[in-house]
Amino acid sequence: MSLKNPYGDFEITEPQALRALAHPVRLAILEHLQRHGPATATGLSPHVGATPSVVSWHLRHLATFGLVTDWDGATSKRERWWQAVARGFRFTMPEGTEGQSASQQLRGEMFARNADAPQQWLLHEEPRLDPEWRALAGMADTRFVATADELRQLEESIEELIAPYVRRKEESAPADARIIRMLRYLLPEPGDDDPAAS
């Protein structure tokens, strides 16, 4: 596992790591650390729906796969502080039955976790935006025809285009900049010649 994409995301390649992350509390912990910065198990507890001792166990499990690490900026030694190793993570489907199963399990958990995100944004965030930002928000449901190579190239082009914004630190952004969340699903449909399609 290494940091090797345009975003500086953590790349997950091991089936065991995929399975470890395919847990609602672990995903919530990692998301909170990535979004809000370092925290203790006690500080994370109310945000992830688990007791501090359970959160601590999950943090150690995530650390086993290199997704989180100790934060050395803590001023107090009484509690252990944790940080995410990167602002995001990525994974590709490993070869073999175990890898495919682990990838599907993590995708399912991520889809479930984010299924309500647009509705929550619409109810809680959108009403607080000024008209300019409201006009820029939205979604698209676009269907197109492409080969596997073309889709791969398209995804790489999108990543290269937005990578400078993803990597930019909030403190170095222009004063009128906002945090933007982009949920992007690539959902290829099986063709008639696909063995599993019939």
Side-chain angles (χ1 to χ4, degrees), residues 126-145:
E126 194 262 357
R128 300 186 300 138
L129 292 173
D130 63 42
E132 180 185 14
W133 284 99
R134 279 189 191 187
L136 291 169
M139 61 169 288
D141 184 356
T142 306
R143 292 168 61 97
F144 57 91
V145 178

Side-chain angles (χ1 to χ4, degrees), residues 9-28:
D9 287 341
F10 194 79
E11 291 276 354
I12 305 172
T13 57
E14 301 168 11
Q16 299 88 343
L18 295 175
R19 287 197 193 285
L21 194 51
H23 186 286
V25 173
R26 289 184 202 130
L27 273 175

Side-chain angles (χ1 to χ4, degrees), residues 72-89:
D72 57 8
T75 55
S76 169
K77 302 293 184 192
R78 295 184 61 192
E79 283 191 286
R80 189 174 185 181
W81 284 75
W82 297 87
Q83 66 180 355
V85 298
R87 289 172 63 177
F89 69 90

Side-chain angles (χ1 to χ4, degrees), residues 144-173:
F144 57 91
V145 178
T147 66
D149 282 340
E150 289 169 337
L151 185 58
R152 193 174 297 111
Q153 289 172 10
L154 178 62
E155 181 70 358
E156 289 171 2
S157 297
I158 292 170
E159 289 195 356
E160 286 178 19
L161 184 64
I162 65 175
Y165 304 100
V166 175
R167 289 193 308 254
R168 179 164 61 186
K169 304 272 190 252
E170 287 180 47
E171 57 271 12
S172 64

Side-chain angles (χ1 to χ4, degrees), residues 48 72 183:
V48 302
D72 57 8
L183 298 176

Side-chain angles (χ1 to χ4, degrees), residues 15-89:
Q16 299 88 343
L18 295 175
R19 287 197 193 285
L21 194 51
H23 186 286
V25 173
R26 289 184 202 130
L27 273 175
I29 288 170
L30 188 58
E31 182 181 297
H32 196 276
L33 290 175
Q34 288 171 336
R35 187 171 181 187
H36 300 287
T40 64
T42 302
L44 287 165
S45 176
H47 302 287
V48 302
T51 65
S53 60
V54 170
V55 172
S56 183
W57 184 86
H58 284 305
L59 282 162
R60 290 192 303 273
H61 200 63
L62 289 170
T64 300
F65 297 100
L67 290 158
V68 300
T69 188
D70 288 301
W71 182 52
D72 57 8
T75 55
S76 169
K77 302 293 184 192
R78 295 184 61 192
E79 283 191 286
R80 189 174 185 181
W81 284 75
W82 297 87
Q83 66 180 355
V85 298
R87 289 172 63 177
F89 69 90

Side-chain angles (χ1 to χ4, degrees), residues 95-108:
E95 293 183 14
T97 307
E98 181 189 2
Q100 292 175 9
S101 173
S103 176
Q104 187 176 30
Q105 187 178 354
L106 179 53
R107 280 184 179 161

